[in-house]
Amino acid sequence: MGTDSYLEMFTLLYSWQLYGTIWGVLEATGVLLLPFIGMVFDHLANYGKSDTDDYSEKEAQSNLLGEMVLACIVIMLCGVPYLSFDATDVNFTPSSMVNSASQSSYDIASNDSTYGEGLSFSDYPLDVEVPPFWWFVHDYSLGITHAIMTSLSAPVDIREYIETLKKLEVKDPETRAELQDFRRDCYVKALSKYKSEKPNETGNYVTDINNILDAEGQNDPYWEGSHIYLSTPGYYDSIRAEVIVEGFPYNSSRDVEWDPTDPDVPDNGKPYCDNWWANSNGLREKIYDDISWAEIMHSTVASEFGVADQEDILLTRAIAQSPESFTPRGYDFNYSNSTYGNGSFTSEVNRHLKQFAGLVGGGVETVTNSVVVSMLLNAAPMAQAILLLLIVMFIPFVLLLTSFSIKGVLIITWALFSFRFLSACWMIAWWLDQNILASIFPSGSIPFTVIDAGGVTQANRNLILMYMLNYLYIAIPLVFAIISGWSGYNVIRGLQAGALTGGLGAAGGRMASGAMRGASKGISNIMKSFPNK
């Protein structure tokens, strides 16, 4: 038996185990005989109320017999659990993704989850018994659902990629402190020089800088690893660190502030910013090593969208989401209070307060936009597995209360199929979500359009993501529920119109007897129309 989640592998077994227990209790206590007793009294009551001779005693017996035979067939096919299957027959195959089209199929003994380990469902039944009709309904519903799911092409999981970018930050405290020093000593000075001199408009390097802007994007000057600052003379190659940096040994030709004959010369010196950033032991490598956990997924997504420099995307995002620390730099305390050259402690505090407000605003947006979707996608398969468990374990009561009629079988069948088909609804919503995201962030632009903050275009894109794409996971199952509920209601209503009491057997008996009486009268009238000889 196939399933749609790791949890359902276990709930499926437990549901049919509970079904067998409930059915056994109803059978042992004789409760299953109550519908048959009710059929007898119902037909006796209807026969006693009949004022015509058309509804004869023989016809009443025939209808009662038909209804009882139908109830017995329902019990045999839909009630008594006697088809056995082992726990090893239960399996789950995750949906395929781009660059991982071949997915392994997991069974209950070797599943890629924590279910079944320790105290979690450790006592699952090794084999259970199922009525043949519900076995057929399970396999048929699963077949239709998976046929629709596999017909959709496997897209790139862009939403997970975007969520990963949102989580990127420099976590190592030493690397973050060094990044803050680099910002202050190198990046701020280079950015101020760039804005004041505007080398992309005038100067000796206009062509080179504009070529870099065309290749790397217009945002290149606005992050610490700017290719302009690294390759243009007069920027990182001419700016030095204001503090001693570990990993860059003292160099007498560079670190001229120390007398090389002084015995107290430090082991490390103050490197130029291009070496500080780009060396093999530089800041770029330290940051990238700190966020390397995102490299695999980013490589998968970026390769599909033709993004050339994948590392720069991760670095830009991680640096942008790594707020500056309030901790001063020891003997550079005064300089630390005048970061960016404003010279005012009050202005510095105001700047950090604005940063904090921005972080709060970003947190609110994250909660409303991404966390809800992530929670829904994670909770949906669990809710589906639990609901299917509840439906299966209560099947005996539904059959009993509907007197083992076709109406009860149809209600349960439609419920099982509808909840099973939710997997296809969520797959369609997810497929639409990924493809619409790919159209919103066209080839090569995904990372930077997500990184950029502000602007009417970006605001509109965020609104689309928040208010439209998120609700696909609710809207599509809701539309299916409305359509399937309306269809099921009309089917049940049609059955009830034929027989308000007594079940389908009585209705069928009355319809058959009515048809026979009509046919008999029609033949009699036709014979009377011929002349007597």
Side-chain angles (χ1 to χ4, degrees):
M1 275 191 170
T3 59
D4 286 325
S5 66
Y6 296 111
L7 176 60
E8 193 188 345
M9 288 196 294
F10 294 89
T11 57
L12 179 68
L13 293 172
Y14 282 107
S15 64
W16 288 113
Q17 182 187 50
L18 292 170
Y19 174 95
T21 301
I22 294 173
W23 182 267
V25 171
L26 296 179
E27 181 181 14
T29 56
V31 177
L32 296 181
L33 295 176
L34 293 180
F36 293 93
I37 297 173
M39 293 176 196
V40 173
F41 281 102
D42 179 62
H43 281 274
L44 289 176
N46 290 334
Y47 178 73
K49 293 178 181 178
S50 177
D51 296 330
T52 63
D53 296 333
D54 293 337
Y55 192 59
S56 62
E57 179 180 354
K58 185 176 181 180
E59 185 177 351
Q61 293 176 352
S62 176
N63 291 337
L64 175 60
L65 180 61
E67 190 169 351
M68 286 188 170
V69 170
L70 182 62
C72 291
I73 294 174
V74 169
I75 291 175
M76 290 173 58
L77 297 179
C78 309
V80 180
Y82 55 86
L83 289 182
S84 178
F85 71 91
D86 297 332
T88 54
D89 297 331
V90 181
N91 60 81
F92 166 62
T93 304
S95 300
S96 298
M97 296 292 298
V98 167
N99 292 345
S100 60
S102 179
Q103 290 287 349
S104 300
S105 181
Y106 298 95
D107 58 37
I108 200 166
S110 59
N111 66 88
D112 191 25
S113 72
T114 57
Y115 298 118
E117 297 181 1
L119 300 178
S120 174
F121 302 120
S122 57
D123 59 341
Y124 62 86
L126 299 179
D127 61 89
V128 292
E129 294 181 335
V130 182
F133 181 77
W134 301 128
W135 187 315
F136 167 77
V137 169
H138 175 91
D139 285 348
Y140 187 76
S141 302
L142 196 71
I144 294 177
T145 301
H146 286 189
I148 294 174
M149 293 170 65
T150 54
S151 68
L152 301 174
S153 58
V156 181
D157 196 351
I158 302 175
R159 179 171 289 279
E160 185 179 355
Y161 167 64
I162 294 174
E163 295 307 315
T164 301
L165 288 181
K166 290 179 180 179
K167 298 174 184 176
L168 280 180
E169 64 174 335
V170 181
K171 298 183 181 298
D172 181 66
E174 293 184 2
T175 304
R176 179 175 287 195
E178 186 175 342
L179 173 61
Q180 180 173 333
D181 290 340
F182 185 88
R183 280 173 175 159
R184 179 189 55 204
D185 296 348
C186 300
Y187 171 64
V188 173
K189 294 177 182 179
L191 180 60
S192 299
K193 179 181 174 67
Y194 180 84
K195 286 187 173 181
S196 62
E197 295 181 357
K198 297 182 179 179
N200 60 322
E201 299 177 4
T202 59
N204 299 326
Y205 307 104
V206 173
T207 302
D208 294 336
I209 290 176
N210 282 313
N211 288 337
I212 293 175
L213 290 174
D214 292 338
E216 305 296 337
Q218 297 300 313
N219 290 324
D220 182 75
Y222 300 100
W223 76 291
E224 286 75 358
S226 169
H227 294 269
I228 292 176
Y229 304 153
L230 287 167
S231 59
T232 305
Y235 286 87
Y236 279 177
D237 66 336
S238 302
I239 304 174
R240 287 178 61 209
E242 296 288 340
V243 294
I244 295 174
V245 180
E246 294 289 335
F248 293 89
Y250 166 78
N251 187 322
S252 59
S253 61
R254 180 194 64 198
D255 302 314
V256 295
E257 52 267 77
W258 287 286
D259 183 356
T261 61
D262 188 343
D264 295 328
V265 170
D267 295 332
N268 294 291
K270 299 178 180 180
Y272 285 100
C273 294
D274 55 350
N275 292 327
W276 189 3
W277 177 263
N279 272 20
S280 58
N281 61 336
L283 184 58
R284 176 190 174 97
E285 289 300 320
K286 292 179 182 178
I287 296 175
Y288 194 71
D289 290 342
D290 193 55
I291 61 173
S292 59
W293 58 272
E295 179 183 2
I296 296 177
M297 188 185 68
H298 178 79
S299 300
T300 299
V301 177
S303 63
E304 292 297 322
F305 286 86
V307 181
D309 197 339
Q310 302 172 12
E311 289 188 12
D312 278 359
I313 296 167
L314 296 179
L315 290 168
T316 307
R317 187 65 177 177
I319 292 172
Q321 295 182 164
S322 301
E324 294 185 36
S325 171
F326 288 91
T327 306
R329 293 199 306 181
Y331 57 85
D332 290 316
F333 180 78
N334 291 329
Y335 192 94
S336 180
N337 283 338
S338 59
T339 303
Y340 301 152
N342 54 36
S344 169
F345 180 77
T346 304
S347 299
E348 180 70 6
V349 172
N350 288 336
R351 185 176 66 81
H352 282 297
L353 289 176
K354 290 178 181 178
Q355 266 191 344
F356 179 73
L359 290 175
V360 172
V364 172
E365 179 184 355
T366 301
V367 169
T368 55
N369 183 32
S370 61
V371 175
V372 173
V373 175
S374 299
M375 291 176 60
L376 178 62
L377 293 178
N378 289 322
M382 297 175 64
Q384 181 191 38
I386 294 172
L387 289 172
L388 286 172
L389 179 147
L390 295 176
I391 292 174
V392 168
M393 66 179 289
F394 292 137
I395 287 176
F397 296 114
V398 177
L399 294 177
L400 181 68
L401 296 175
T402 56
S403 300
F404 304 109
S405 65
I406 296 297
K407 179 180 71 175
V409 174
L410 290 178
I411 291 174
I412 300 168
T413 301
W414 200 248
L416 290 173
F417 173 78
S418 298
F419 281 104
R420 173 66 59 198
F421 197 76
L422 287 177
S423 297
C425 293
W426 290 320
M427 181 66 181
I428 293 170
W430 181 79
W431 178 80
L432 287 172
D433 185 20
Q434 307 307 318
N435 283 277
I436 294 174
L437 279 172
S439 67
I440 292 174
F441 303 114
S443 178
S445 68
I446 292 178
F448 293 104
T449 48
V450 176
I451 292 169
D452 292 342
V456 176
T457 303
Q458 183 63 22
N460 288 338
R461 286 171 175 167
N462 287 337
L463 286 176
I464 292 174
L465 293 176
M466 186 181 302
Y467 295 110
M468 189 184 76
L469 298 184
N470 291 355
Y471 288 112
L472 283 176
Y473 298 94
I474 300 175
I476 293 179
L478 182 62
V479 171
F480 171 73
I482 293 173
I483 294 175
S484 63
W486 176 81
S487 302
Y489 171 77
N490 281 279
V491 170
I492 302 303
R493 185 181 178 186
L495 290 175
Q496 289 178 332
L500 295 177
T501 58
L504 190 63
R510 293 191 183 98
M511 291 173 63
S513 62
M516 291 298 295
R517 289 195 300 271
S520 177
K521 291 181 179 180
I523 294 173
S524 176
N525 290 333
I526 292 173
M527 295 300 294
K528 290 179 180 178
S529 63
F530 289 100
N532 295 325
K533 293 183 179 180

